[in-house]
Amino acid sequence: MPPRLFGFADFSRSALHPEEAAITAEAAQLSADGQSDAAVAAFLAKAGFAGTLGAPFTSQTAGRLLTNPAIAGLKRDADGALVPAGHPGMIPPELFTVVLERHSGTKPRVDDYDYLLTSADLAVCGRCGAPLGGLRSSTGKPGYSCPEGPRQDRPGRCGRVRIDAGLLEDFVGENILARLLLPATRADLEKGRALLATQLDADRLRLGDIEASVQELAAMVVRRELQAKDLKKAKAEANEESRLLKRRIRWMELAVAAPVTGDVEELVEWWNVAPVEARRGLALLMFHRIDLHPGGKGVRSIRPGRVVLWWRNEAPPAPIVLAP
């Protein structure tokens, strides 16, 4: 029997999986708003979701999910027309039509882009604090943008920050390489790695404690020491904390594994040829956060103050609060 479709509780599609159906609806709206399949896949991974076989979403699997009529409660008849399938859907048919049109091939296919700074909320909007997401321009060029702009289902509270991906990543890379030339950088990197390694161990222990606690609560229900409704609430809270912990553990593992050996010239050479995931690990090791501020319409350079780099060997930044 093939695996169940993401978003449905079982293979027969007789009922929805609430959490997966809700995130699929959000993903479909992002697609309808112009987000690429790669950006949608990153969004699903960031939210802590994987495919029903456990594999992370890719642009291809996200695209197949979004163009499957079943997510709108539809199927194709013998003539290829969309008709009701007799099972629940996760999105309205009207939204599915928009998503399908966006995938119809009217736009040229562009290669996937592996964004350097979208992990672990490293790069954020300097106005509202929302983690930046990847967004293609009308010409298909990859960029970073604030995801809090207006959409069909909400007015939006920001969305005014965006930048060409290459421009921002080159700027960050140049600053990392310049920092590597400073005499104290090696000691700072080792200190930062030690601190993150300690936090990583603590998070792993906490994740194990949560899983053990849920099992103990389930046993208490069997022994009638706890009501099932209380277990359901506790499991929901535990699942949310586990999701956040697993996400934080993933990026800390990258940071802790970042290479900080060799002389400065070797590190610079390594940066220029290393895979994106490895460079991302070093960036996570070096920064608390990167704030991006508006740069003006059509600006092709980074003016002073537009990008604020919060280095990990300095005091951490305060949370960003959007003024009313």
Side-chain angles (χ1 to χ4, degrees):
M1 179 180 293
R4 66 179 178 84
L5 181 64
F6 185 85
F8 289 96
D10 51 36
F11 174 73
S12 66
R13 303 175 185 173
S14 60
L16 298 178
H17 186 292
E19 292 82 7
E20 292 181 358
I23 204 70
T24 300
E26 291 187 49
Q29 187 62 62
L30 289 175
S31 179
D33 290 343
Q35 293 275 13
S36 67
D37 289 344
V40 171
F43 163 76
L44 291 169
K46 187 175 181 181
F49 289 90
T52 52
L53 293 179
F57 277 98
T58 64
S59 58
Q60 290 81 11
T61 56
R64 285 198 294 270
L65 173 66
L66 295 173
T67 55
N68 191 322
I71 69 172
L74 303 173
K75 65 178 181 180
R76 294 192 180 276
D77 63 14
D79 298 323
L82 291 172
V83 297
H87 61 67
M90 308 172 218
I91 63 173
E94 296 79 12
L95 177 58
F96 179 72
T97 299
V98 175
V99 173
L100 203 58
E101 288 175 352
R102 206 189 68 74
H103 285 80
S104 63
T106 55
K107 294 183 180 179
R109 188 189 182 282
V110 292
D111 293 333
D112 291 343
Y113 186 84
D114 197 356
Y115 290 90
L116 176 67
L117 305 173
T118 53
S119 291
D121 304 344
L122 184 58
V124 305
C125 173
R127 293 189 72 251
C128 71
L132 297 180
L135 179 67
R136 296 278 182 170
S137 69
S138 58
T139 60
K141 198 170 185 180
Y144 290 88
S145 71
C146 171
E148 293 297 322
R151 300 192 321 209
Q152 294 179 358
D153 60 340
R154 70 178 191 200
R157 64 190 188 102
C158 187
R160 290 175 49 190
V161 172
R162 61 178 57 202
I163 191 173
D164 175 82
L167 184 63
L168 177 60
E169 292 178 4
D170 286 348
F171 177 84
V172 171
E174 289 169 3
N175 276 272
I176 286 177
L177 296 181
R179 199 77 167 193
L180 291 175
L181 297 174
L182 299 178
T185 296
R186 181 61 47 79
D188 289 338
L189 288 175
E190 291 291 0
K191 181 180 179 181
R193 173 148 64 177
L195 290 173
L196 286 177
T198 300
Q199 182 62 55
L200 178 59
D201 289 340
D203 282 357
R204 285 170 171 164
L205 288 173
R206 175 58 184 160
L207 187 61
D209 290 342
I210 292 173
E211 293 172 350
S213 297
V214 171
Q215 293 177 358
E216 175 58 26
L217 289 173
M220 291 175 66
V221 171
V222 174
R223 296 194 300 265
R224 298 184 179 180
E225 298 172 358
L226 183 72
Q227 293 186 3
K229 65 177 182 179
D230 295 326
L231 173 63
K232 183 177 180 181
K233 180 180 178 181
K235 286 183 67 175
E237 294 174 352
N239 288 339
E240 177 62 16
E241 185 178 356
S242 295
R243 182 182 69 81
L244 295 175
L245 280 171
K246 288 176 181 177
R247 182 162 167 259
R248 190 164 67 183
I249 285 171
R250 284 196 296 269
W251 76 255
M252 282 196 294
E253 287 173 340
L254 275 179
V256 169
V260 291
T261 57
D263 58 27
V264 171
E265 289 74 17
E266 289 173 333
L267 279 174
V268 171
E269 182 179 353
W270 171 86
W271 176 269
N272 290 327
V273 299
V276 170
E277 186 174 76
R279 285 184 283 138
R280 185 181 296 129
L282 183 57
L284 289 164
L285 189 58
M286 298 191 77
F287 297 111
H288 289 294
R289 197 178 73 205
I290 299 171
D291 298 349
L292 178 66
H293 296 274
K297 189 174 182 180
V299 174
R300 301 297 179 186
S301 61
I302 294 182
R303 296 171 178 169
R306 186 182 184 190
V307 178
V308 180
L309 305 175
W310 297 94
W311 299 95
R312 194 171 287 280
N313 67 333
E314 300 172 356
I320 297 173
V321 179
L322 180 64

